[in-house]
Amino acid sequence: MNAGPWLPVPPGGYGGIENVVATLIPELRRLGVRVVFAGVGESTIEADGRVSVFDHGQFDAIQRPYNQAVGVVQAHQHAVVRALREHDDIDLIHDHVEAAGLVTLASLGDGAPPGLQTLHWDLHKHPALYSTFDGGDRVRVNGVSAAQLARAPRALRDHAIGHVHLATPLAAEPAPAVEKDSYAVVLGRINPGKGQDLAARLAHEHGFDLVLAGPVGPYKNAVDLEAAESDPDARRNPDVQFWREKVAPHVDGTRVRWIGTVTGRDRDLLVARARVALFPLRWEEPGGTAVVESLALGTPVAGIARGCLPELIEDGHTGLLTDSEEELGELVGKAATIDPRACRAEAERRFTPAVMAEAYVRLYERIRNPG
């Protein structure tokens, strides 16, 4: 199970892919699957074996110039290949590393175990790779939603064996017993695709309180972000630029607040108390971890009907969807019509770790026994 070199598993806060891996591994082991974990050394996930090059997550390197960052993922992938050569009992490789993971799987040769690449991202990002990919009969891919795979280039779809929706441990744990507050929340990295600027503008126009929770690039709070403002490299970070130019002008500390990265119990209570979780998407969201977390915490979803949202949300039952950015502000006021108990029940039925792990075991068996 290759999580990559970017963040520990489980992560300390933001880390969509790492949270998926942290959710999946314990359930796989419960089902009798032995897991050798490849990630960074500070990861605390329990596994049957470990592979790592870096002691700590290398997330800060992602936004560096290419010639400074290119060796990070390659060093990690090289360690994975070495480990495969040293083990003769690996039945399958499950990789989660963008682009480089897929190429590594395809390059291992016919003598290597079969591979499954889970595609967590926008499949239009790397057209030169995905439109020409050939993994032969050894490499298969899966999406995290049907909508994501439907947008994939033909060459990639030819290797697909289906999709598995994301899960959250929150769906299998008791939901917090809290009273609903009046604010809306947007949970996730401050990023143009997530649309926090739209949410902030709508909050002022429609008169609802909004809490933005998530990092700006690698900066988890206002103190770190302010300290980085004097760093030219930090100011060139696209997420920092988006924050400074598009989001921060709307953040007044009263109607719209940014609270940085929130983790653990604090994050759960923040979402559980919100009257609605807002998803003002400006991209085709592939997986929607924050969506299933919101449902598990009994919080209705209001969002732009893009990407996976129509697969995860039953409009009028567990949330409210629209194709219009302007109408989204009106849906915040209508969120009280959605029963939080219906949201929770849907999460318990569809988005528990056990449901996700069982789906992956079925994919593993199909790959190992293609006949």
Side-chain angles (χ1 to χ4, degrees), residues 80-368:
V80 171
V81 173
R82 289 199 306 270
L84 290 170
R85 290 172 178 164
E86 294 166 1
H87 286 267
D88 60 3
D89 58 348
I90 302 295
D91 299 308
L92 182 138
I93 311 155
H94 188 172
D95 197 287
H96 300 265
V97 177
E98 184 174 1
L102 193 63
V103 173
T104 300
L105 291 178
S107 302
L108 287 172
D110 292 339
L116 174 66
Q117 174 82 35
T118 295
L119 305 162
H120 293 272
W121 37 84
D122 181 355
L123 301 182
H124 283 190
K125 284 177 67 175
H126 309 293
L129 170 61
Y130 291 150
S131 64
T132 63
F133 178 71
D134 183 2
D137 295 329
R138 261 194 55 259
V139 180
R140 294 289 177 261
V141 303
N142 77 277
V144 289
S145 68
Q148 177 203 32
L149 282 181
R151 288 169 45 82
R154 176 62 183 272
L156 201 58
R157 292 202 311 272
D158 286 345
H159 292 77
I161 57 170
H163 67 276
V164 178
H165 288 138
L166 301 179
T168 173
L170 296 171
E173 301 168 357
V178 297
E179 296 292 328
K180 287 293 183 184
D181 208 325
S182 60
Y183 62 84
V185 64
V186 178
L187 192 69
R189 181 165 62 97
I190 308 297
N191 178 272
K194 302 290 186 181
Q196 285 93 347
D197 60 324
L198 171 61
R201 175 173 65 81
L202 293 176
H204 287 287
E205 292 178 357
H206 291 266
F208 61 86
D209 292 339
L210 177 68
V211 177
L212 305 175
V216 176
Y219 308 108
K220 296 181 179 181
N221 54 59
V223 173
D224 291 346
L225 182 58
E226 184 176 351
E229 281 292 324
S230 61
D231 182 347
D233 287 340
R235 293 179 65 86
R236 285 192 291 269
N237 182 299
D239 288 353
V240 173
Q241 291 178 354
F242 171 67
W243 160 260
R244 188 173 60 246
E245 296 170 8
K246 301 294 185 180
V247 182
H250 299 291
V251 177
D252 59 2
T254 304
R255 177 66 75 195
V256 179
R257 294 185 295 136
W258 173 59
I259 61 173
T261 297
V262 184
T263 62
R265 181 71 172 173
D266 291 338
R267 179 206 59 182
D268 298 347
L269 292 176
L270 174 72
V271 177
R273 288 176 175 144
R275 63 166 158 169
V276 62
L278 202 56
F279 291 86
L281 299 179
R282 286 204 170 110
W283 77 314
E284 304 302 323
E285 178 75 46
T289 301
V291 177
V292 300
E293 289 176 343
S294 299
L295 296 181
L297 292 165
T299 297
V301 167
I304 304 294
R306 298 187 66 169
C308 65
L309 252 66
E311 293 177 44
L312 305 181
I313 299 301
E314 184 179 347
D315 192 22
H317 181 61
T318 57
L320 300 166
L321 301 178
T322 179
D323 294 322
S324 165
E325 290 189 355
E326 300 310 314
E327 187 183 2
L328 182 61
E330 301 173 11
L331 297 187
V332 173
K334 298 176 181 178
T337 63
I338 303 297
D339 186 349
R341 294 171 298 181
C343 301
R344 172 68 187 188
E346 187 74 347
E348 291 176 349
R349 184 176 71 88
R350 298 178 60 197
F351 303 125
T352 64
V355 170
M356 180 173 68
E358 289 162 4
Y360 272 112
V361 168
R362 289 193 292 270
L363 294 189
Y364 297 164
E365 293 299 336
R366 284 180 58 191
I367 293 170
R368 293 178 62 236

Side-chain angles (χ1 to χ4, degrees), residues 8-49:
V9 175
Y14 170 79
I17 292 173
E18 291 79 12
N19 274 314
V20 172
V21 174
T23 300
L24 181 57
I25 287 178
E27 288 297 315
L28 290 176
R29 298 180 77 217
R30 183 183 63 81
L31 294 172
V33 179
R34 291 180 61 250
V35 179
V36 175
F37 166 73
V40 296
E42 64 183 321
S43 298
T44 57
I45 191 75
E46 293 187 5
D48 300 289

Side-chain angles (χ1 to χ4, degrees), residues 51-75:
V51 177
S52 65
V53 170
F54 300 100
D55 291 335
H56 303 287
Q58 301 297 300
F59 185 75
D60 289 357
I62 287 180
Q63 300 290 357
R64 292 177 190 162
Y66 175 80
N67 63 350
Q68 296 179 21
V70 63
V72 172
V73 71
Q74 303 302 340

